[in-house]
Structures are given as C-alpha cells and as structure tokens.
Amino acid sequence: MSISWGNWAVRVYAAEAWLSLAPRFAAERPEIVDRIGEILADHQPAVRLQAAQNLQVISAAAPDRMWEMGERIAAAETDPRVLTAYLARSLRRFSHAEPERCEHILAIAKRRLDDFADDASGRDHIQECLGGWVAQLQAGQGRQFASAWIDEWAADPERFQNALNAYTSSLRGAFFGRYAADAEQGDKDMNDRAQEGLAKILAPALDISAKTHAVLSSNVPGEEKLAAGREYSAAERVIYHAMNQLYFGAGVRAEDKEDGPGLNNAGAKARFLADYADMLALLRRSREPATQHHLIELYEHLIPGDPVAVFTAIHAILTGPGAEEGYQFESLGSTAVVKVVRRYIADHRGIFEDPERRAKLVEILQLFSEVGWTDAIRLLYDLPDLLR
C-alpha cells in the first residue's frame, strides 16, 4: 500500500522542501510550521503524506503544534495510507519519550477503524499498524493500556485478525529473546510479556474454534453454518499465524535461523518446552492440519530438550485432533511422522523400553499404515527388529 506521484507533482516537492527547512529554521520562522499545517489540509493525499510521515521535524520548534497536528491526522485523515504513514513513522519515534501522548492518538485512530475498508488483498493496514504498536507498548514497554486492546481484539478474531496477526508477527524474535547467549534481564521481561500477550490471543481463538466447529458439525440451518464457518476460519487463521511465529522463530528450518536467536541446543529447547508448556498445550487443540503439521515439526526440533515429553505430545496430537480431522491422510503428515519415528529410533530408542510408550509408537504407525502410506507400513513391519 503506497502513494505514488510523477515528476510533475510540483506541490509534492514543494511540501518536501518545507519539511526539509523545518529542522533548522522553524524555531525562528514560525510560518514554516503554519505551512506544514496547511500541507496537512491539502486535497491531494500525496501532498499530505509528506507532512504526516515527517511531522517529527517540528518537535523541537513547536512540540505542542506537532501533537495538535497529530491529533488532527488521527481524527480526520480520510486516506488510510496517510494515516498509517503517520502512525508507523512519525509517531513511532515518540513511543518511549511520550508513551501517554502516543496512546492518546492511537486511541483516536482506533475509534475510526470502521471508517476504512480493507484493501483488495483483504488487509487492513491501519489494524496492522495498531497491532505492531500494541506489541511495542505491551510487550516492549509493559504498558497496560495496550494490554486491554489485546483482550478486546482476541474476543473477535473475525473482525480483528489483521491486528492480532500483526501483534504476533512483530514479536517473533521476542518469543525467543531469553534463550540467546547474551540475553539480558530486559529480554527476559519482554519475553514474559510477549508470552502473556500470546496466551491472551490463543485461548479465546481456540475456544471460538471449538464452539464454531461444533456448530459446523451439527444440523443447524445453513445461515448459522455460514456464520460459524467465517468465525471458525478467522480464529484458525489467527492460531496458524501465531503457530508460525514459534515455528520459524525457533529455527525449525535451517534457512530461518537468521530470523532470531532460535533454539540451538538441548538446554535452550528444554527451557522452551517448560516455559511454553501452556502455549503448546493450547496449540495442540487446533483442528487444522496445517497448524498440526507445523506443531509436529516444531516438536521434532525440540526432541533433544525432553524426548519423553515431546513424544507424549506428538502422540496426543496424532491420535486426538489429528486423527479426527484426517491428518493421517496427508502425504506431508506421513513424511513428518516417519521422520520423527526414525529419529527416535536412532537417537532415543531407550524410551521405548517402557511398554506403554512402545504401544503408543505402534498406535501411531498403525494410524498411518492403515491408510496405505508405504513408509509407515515398512517402518511398522520392521519395528520389532529396530527396537532390539
């Protein structure tokens, strides 16, 4: 989402010129500040954009005027691209220095969410911007004001999924900050707050998913099913998006390790399993095969941290929601499960000396063998020899 202009957009370049003069001369020449105010009232969005995204240039010369103009943008700007540029660029510079004033302006913008429609791709860029802001204020700075917004959004993922997904995307690195070798107390505190926010999102989304799934499985009229289907899909999209932040942030795939500190040793993986036990338990309730698949691959990555606990969790997914929703019919599912079993046999064979755990292993392989996956059948057939 951007605003473009051509070489002959003279008023745009004039606006840029006034903005470039402000840092050096606005204190002595107040007419520069007046002109910037006029730019914000221009009928062309491209002209207004120049002032909105660079309003901080008058912060030293006219701070009160700057905040007044910011309130005007939040309350009256009609182009979502201009409003988003102000919130994401100029205002963001004051998140630490003036958090209360930022929150005041954000609240004004939030009240106007219904004034703007999603773009052609279905994205709400103002929601996404506010979601990123909440990640900064709640997880980054511990502001309770922003925490209340998460509760409101999480109760209605169909309406606020853009904001919720932007929140979790913004915190992918923060979810793993405490596991870095050079982690400081601030990283750990931010990690705690990020986990708190994630739990606020996942628990309601999974409750909505379960409730609407029951409606979809019932004999209610078609209109009710359509409404339930929309709610279910929105909730599960939020869950899947959150799942992916943990999946990619943990470094499950080698090419994604640069996204954050990841989990690079058995100790870090064991700590993650303990710290995120409640979150992983929530994710195991998802009925969507795509979420289940990434969760199983994440668990495979975590095996060195606690082989027994991970195996128990994988068994619960595969024989519970996974089996109910047909994960065993997915070719990617068969590949993932066979890979997990082979890794256990190679590296952690001893845990299957326990008869109950061995029976669970057989149950998993039978589940995938019964639908005809050749590798699962072969592995089940060879299992007695492999476990000797």
Side-chain angles (χ1 to χ4, degrees):
M1 185 181 74
S2 63
I3 297 176
S4 59
W5 55 89
N7 292 332
W8 296 103
V10 177
R11 290 188 1 270
V12 171
Y13 299 116
E16 285 184 334
W18 282 108
L19 270 295
S20 66
L21 291 172
R24 293 185 59 188
F25 303 111
E28 294 79 22
R29 302 294 296 271
E31 63 267 29
I32 294 176
V33 178
D34 294 337
R35 187 55 60 91
I36 290 173
E38 294 171 5
I39 291 169
L40 285 172
D42 194 275
H43 69 281
Q44 285 290 340
V47 177
R48 300 197 301 274
L49 176 69
Q50 310 314 310
Q53 67 186 359
N54 294 299
L55 198 56
Q56 76 285 346
V57 297
I58 61 172
S59 60
D64 291 338
R65 291 285 302 280
M66 180 194 72
W67 290 107
E68 178 188 340
M69 291 179 193
E71 287 188 24
R72 192 200 320 165
I73 295 170
E77 176 55 54
T78 57
D79 193 302
R81 298 168 297 181
V82 177
L83 177 55
T84 301
Y86 168 65
L87 298 176
R89 297 184 60 176
S90 179
L91 186 65
R92 196 65 177 264
R93 295 170 181 264
F94 300 96
S95 61
H96 287 279
E98 297 277 6
E100 290 87 0
R101 298 185 95 161
C102 289
E103 288 170 349
H104 173 66
I105 287 177
L106 291 169
I108 295 172
K110 177 175 172 289
R111 289 195 291 268
R112 299 184 61 218
L113 281 174
D114 290 339
D115 294 348
F116 304 99
D118 295 352
D119 67 10
S121 65
R123 294 175 60 184
D124 184 323
H125 293 274
I126 298 176
Q127 271 200 34
E128 290 179 1
C129 181
L130 292 176
W133 259 106
V134 168
Q136 168 67 36
L137 292 170
Q138 180 267 338
Q141 298 174 224
R143 306 283 300 178
Q144 289 305 307
F145 173 92
S147 183
W149 285 15
I150 302 175
D151 294 328
E152 177 188 346
W153 293 342
D156 191 356
E158 185 178 1
R159 181 183 177 195
F160 294 114
Q161 60 183 296
N162 284 282
L164 295 169
N165 290 346
Y167 173 88
T168 53
S169 293
S170 299
L171 295 175
R172 178 181 293 183
F175 291 134
F176 299 91
R178 73 185 318 132
Y179 308 110
D182 57 350
E184 300 178 352
Q185 187 59 45
D187 300 308
K188 297 173 184 177
D189 293 340
M190 185 171 180
N191 179 268
D192 289 340
R193 293 190 294 265
Q195 285 188 57
E196 178 186 348
L198 183 60
K200 283 173 173 284
I201 291 170
L202 284 178
L206 283 154
D207 287 343
I208 291 169
S209 173
K211 179 181 177 181
T212 52
H213 186 274
V215 173
L216 292 170
S217 303
S218 68
N219 295 320
V220 299
E223 290 185 4
E224 290 185 38
K225 281 197 174 184
L226 286 174
R230 290 192 297 270
E231 286 187 68
Y232 173 83
S233 296
E236 284 291 347
R237 281 195 294 270
V238 167
I239 295 163
Y240 179 65
H241 192 86
M243 173 71 250
N244 280 349
Q245 306 320 303
L246 300 182
Y247 175 88
F248 292 110
V252 173
R253 302 192 312 180
E255 59 266 34
D256 298 316
K257 293 186 185 298
E258 62 185 28
D259 282 1
L263 302 170
N264 301 315
N265 57 69
K269 293 172 183 180
R271 288 166 57 205
F272 178 85
L273 281 166
D275 295 341
Y276 281 82
D278 292 342
M279 226 75 65
L280 294 170
L282 284 172
L283 288 166
R284 291 200 297 270
R285 291 169 50 193
S286 173
R287 293 179 171 275
E288 283 300 294
T291 303
Q292 294 167 354
H293 183 66
H294 274 182
L295 182 55
I296 288 168
E297 290 192 318
L298 173 60
Y299 269 126
E300 185 207 348
H301 183 64
L302 299 173
I303 288 173
D306 190 337
V308 172
V310 168
F311 177 79
T312 302
I314 290 175
H315 173 267
I317 297 168
L318 295 174
T319 60
E324 292 172 9
E325 299 303 319
Y327 181 70
Q328 66 271 24
F329 293 98
E330 303 286 341
S331 61
L332 286 176
S334 174
T335 301
V337 167
V338 168
K339 182 182 177 185
V340 167
V341 172
R342 284 175 174 163
R343 182 171 179 182
Y344 266 104
I345 291 172
D347 299 335
H348 306 283
R349 187 182 312 176
I351 73 168
F352 298 114
E353 293 177 2
D354 178 83
E356 185 177 347
R357 208 169 292 126
R358 183 192 291 249
K360 289 181 177 179
L361 177 60
V362 171
E363 184 182 7
I364 289 172
L365 289 176
Q366 284 179 333
L367 183 65
F368 285 83
S369 297
E370 287 170 359
V371 298
W373 296 114
T374 305
D375 288 344
I377 295 171
R378 186 179 299 115
L379 199 51
L380 179 63
Y381 179 80
D382 293 339
L383 196 61
D385 293 331
L386 293 172
L387 292 180
R388 284 178 183 171

